[in-house]
Amino acid sequence: MMKLYKDLKKLLAKKAHHFLRRGIFFSHRDIHNILNLHEAGKKFYLYTGRGPSSESMHIGHMIPFMFTKWLQDVFEVPLIIQLTDDEKVLWRDIKIEDARQMAFNNAKDIIAVGFNPENTFIFNDLDFIGQCPAFYQNMLRIQKCVTYNQVKGIFGFGDSDVIGKITFPSIEAAPAFSTSFPFIFENKVLPCLVPCAIDQDPYFRMTRDVAARLKLPKPALIHATFLPALQGAQHKMSASDSNASIFLNDGPKQIKNKINKYAFSGGQPTVEEHRLMGGNTSVDISFKYLTFFLEDDERLAEIKKDYESGEMLTGELKKIAIDTITPYIQAYQKRRSQVTDEVMQQFFKIRKINV
Ligand code: TRP
């Protein structure tokens, strides 16, 4: 009883994350199951991941991880992070050795978000799966539940896709079952919550179908939208286009130049027109980025009002975006510089985690 009371108090004391308040995490499957479990003092775990695809990550990649860190802090549960270096070998023209290296670089970028080494396990598929028979056995159980016809329907695979792609969904699904990690969970069956970007939902629709057949708990999900590219909301940020996004290793000058030069503006063509008609915050990328990175609701509302009334000009709005994002990235870079190989190895160590 005492514990339930403490948990509730803690939950209520913490304001919902601004990603929730602003609909950046906007949909879910079965999240109430997880909240009910938590209220009843029962345990669950978090699982998320990343397909390492470039040497350095951009701020869009960080959104699910920033939110996952918040979930981990609020719920104090184990977190598992899968780095699908194998996925990138299958989908792109990338060599196995290079994909592994990217996984380790990305792991450091992810750790610098601030995850707790006590209850976070990070693995890359290429190194881990061969060491963990229980994981492979779950992969096989999953593979046995899904036909080619189903996987084709879910992912759109065709005759010229390599066969590795067809089995890959079982690799992304397996971590959603606690029995894949006996060294952490000691074969206990714990429910799982997966924070992810919305494009990963097909994997977990499949996983939820399979769970029912394997008599294991269906993973719950919470989905994020994408941070748009600097050039506008129609583009998804691409890691290979250095001008489409702000990278975690960009310096203050680059951040300033990129926002000034590329951030799509909802302002009017001339100052006169702008003063008269005001700016459009629903297409303005500097404003959009502020909704992701400026936590203060009142300040954000004020900026919206001033920009839409024409009182605030695009240059001024861009300056606020630059002044908000730059210190954020700099603080991140300071943490990143402290993530040594030894720090990283703590997270990758196959070990028991207190549930
Ligand atoms: N397929 C994801 C990507 O390309 C990586 C991933 C693996 C993942 N497991 C996950 C993402 C679980 C979210 C949740 O980025």
Side-chain angles (χ1 to χ4, degrees), residues 22 49 55 71 112 119 145-146 157 174 219 320 328 341:
R22 299 184 188 155
E55 288 297 329
L71 290 172
N119 56 1
C145 288
V146 186
F157 297 138
I320 297 171
Y328 181 88
D341 285 343

Side-chain angles (χ1 to χ4, degrees), residues 10-39:
K10 205 176 332 154
L11 258 189
L12 294 174
K14 283 212 183 181
K15 205 169 160 192
H17 193 279
H18 68 285
F19 289 171
L20 279 174
R21 302 202 301 273
R22 299 184 188 155
I24 291 165
F25 273 78
F26 70 103
S27 87
H28 72 88
R29 294 181 190 275
D30 283 352
I31 191 91
H32 51 273
N33 283 354
I34 295 290
L35 295 176
N36 289 343
L37 278 175
H38 178 72
E39 282 183 30

Side-chain angles (χ1 to χ4, degrees), residues 47-51 82 84 87-88 172 194-196 200 203-204:
Y47 157 47
T48 190
R50 161 161 178 81
Q82 178 183 43
T84 50
E87 176 184 11
K88 297 302 150 182
E172 184 156 334
V194 185
C196 61
Q200 300 301 302
Y203 287 104
F204 298 107

Side-chain angles (χ1 to χ4, degrees), residues 47-53 61 64-65 80-84 87-88 92 123 125 168 171-173 175 194-197 199-200 203-204 221 236:
Y47 157 47
T48 190
R50 161 161 178 81
S53 65
H61 294 136
F65 291 107
I80 290 176
I81 300 176
Q82 178 183 43
L83 298 168
T84 50
E87 176 184 11
K88 297 302 150 182
R92 308 211 179 171
F123 68 97
D125 290 341
F168 175 77
I171 303 178
E172 184 156 334
V194 185
C196 61
D199 65 340
Q200 300 301 302
Y203 287 104
F204 298 107
L221 296 168
K236 180 181 155 181

Side-chain angles (χ1 to χ4, degrees), residues 4-16 38-39 70 74:
L4 173 62
Y5 175 66
K6 259 180 25 204
D7 283 349
L8 281 176
K9 230 175 79 174
K10 205 176 332 154
L11 258 189
L12 294 174
K14 283 212 183 181
K15 205 169 160 192
H38 178 72
E39 282 183 30
W70 180 79
V74 170

